[in-house]
Amino acid sequence: MDTLFNSSSTSSFTFIQTHKNPQSFSLRTCGYLPFSSQFKTQSLVCLKAHELTPLNVLKKRGLKCVSSGEGLADEGEGVRRKNLAVFVSGGGSNFRAVHQATVSGDVHGNFVVLVTNKHDCGGANYARENGIPVIIYPNTKGEPEGLSSTDLVAALSKYKIDFILLAGYLKLIPSELIRAYPKSILNIHPSLLPAFGGKGYYGTKVHKAVIASGARYSGPTIHFVDEHYDTGRILAQRIVPVLANDTVEELAARVLRQEHKMYAEVAAAVCDERVIWREDGVPIIQSKANPNHYS
């Protein structure tokens, strides 16, 4: 049986011990827990089992035990399905891969809107075909119907967006949007950042530079977005070998296959609330199969 320990009225946290792994605990809170080391997210603090304070000590500190029969779900269950926005500038193959994962149930979220700077790009057409609204941003001579940064933030708020995924979006994200969605905007880049990143490094330009450098390894990176190109905190990477006789097209195809897999996996972790922020500001992912393992 799962066991839940509720705090006194002066605290705001909940321990959950799972029946699947009695040595695994989770703590749902938005507050600070002074008696143990912790990993934090907006809605989850995970404690390593060996760092947990003994139960008798917890009880002395005002905790009381209640039954798990009061509507509790097993760890990883009962998480609200997330609303996702995606930004694209081209064909949107990464968007399509993650969208298919939401349809199959592998990602616990729904794409509710797409933002693009090219109204007729492949990603935008795919969104329309699947009933996903399309917003044009920014306002330019080529896209006179595009929104301003302020109007974009207002428009996205109407969709109650939880996370934003950039999938081949080539414009710099406005600071207004970054402030509105802190630690909630992800981008995928086709190199192992911080190498071969920054303004001007996108698409085949990245792979051409990798091959020309003589690097033996490349691969995609998923990172959180800040005010600059490709400088946000790295969340996930996957290594892809660069072969001696690789062409740009061959390396690009090999990396793209890993992009599709990794973005779907990371989107699943984000929607499951398994992204943990270390005290030093580095985000890591908690394994769904083994909650005591992080990557």
Side-chain angles (χ1 to χ4, degrees), residues 83-289:
N83 290 331
L84 306 175
V86 63
F87 285 45
V88 304
S89 292
S93 67
N94 275 306
F95 159 48
R96 298 175 193 228
V98 180
H99 176 257
Q100 289 166 10
T102 66
V103 173
S104 68
D106 293 330
V107 172
H108 197 58
N110 296 315
F111 282 105
V112 296
V113 66
L114 177 142
V115 177
T116 183
N117 60 311
K118 297 180 179 180
H119 73 276
D120 59 349
C121 70
N125 291 332
Y126 176 85
R128 295 185 185 99
E129 291 168 1
N130 286 274
I132 300 171
V134 175
I135 293 176
I136 310 301
Y137 171 86
N139 182 289
T140 63
K141 290 183 179 180
E143 294 290 356
E145 300 300 319
L147 301 182
S148 67
S149 297
T150 301
D151 289 341
L152 175 64
V153 173
L156 291 180
S157 68
K158 296 178 181 179
Y159 289 98
K160 301 186 183 301
I161 300 299
D162 295 295
F163 296 101
I164 297 171
L165 307 185
L166 309 187
Y169 185 71
L170 302 182
K171 296 292 184 180
L172 192 64
I173 299 302
S175 57
E176 295 92 335
L177 191 65
I178 294 172
R179 288 194 296 268
Y181 294 93
K183 296 181 178 180
S184 301
I185 307 176
L186 291 169
N187 181 49
I188 189 162
H189 183 78
S191 75
L192 295 173
L193 293 175
F196 308 104
K199 188 174 182 179
Y201 278 102
Y202 60 88
T204 58
K205 293 183 178 181
V206 173
H207 306 299
K208 184 177 181 179
V210 169
I211 292 174
S213 75
R216 267 50 173 182
Y217 297 97
S218 188
T221 297
I222 293 176
H223 64 94
F224 284 92
V225 174
D226 59 17
E227 292 83 359
H228 308 286
Y229 286 107
D230 304 326
T231 59
R233 290 288 192 171
I234 292 172
L235 178 60
Q237 293 183 312
R238 189 156 293 175
I239 295 174
V240 174
V242 181
L243 304 183
N245 297 316
D246 261 343
T247 65
V248 170
E249 293 75 19
E250 289 168 341
L251 178 59
R254 195 178 306 119
V255 172
L256 186 61
R257 285 193 293 270
Q258 295 305 317
E259 288 183 41
H260 293 168
K261 294 177 183 178
M262 187 171 69
Y263 219 169
E265 292 171 3
V266 169
V270 166
C271 291
D272 289 345
E273 300 177 6
R274 291 186 285 111
V275 174
I276 313 299
W277 288 84
R278 288 189 336 207
E279 290 181 355
D280 61 359
V282 173
I284 56 179
I285 295 175
Q286 183 185 39
S287 168
K288 187 172 185 178

Side-chain angles (χ1 to χ4, degrees), residues 65-83:
C65 176
V66 298
S67 170
S68 65
E70 298 181 22
L72 286 178
D74 287 344
E75 188 173 8
E77 298 178 2
V79 177
R80 178 179 60 82
R81 197 170 182 89
K82 301 300 188 293
N83 290 331

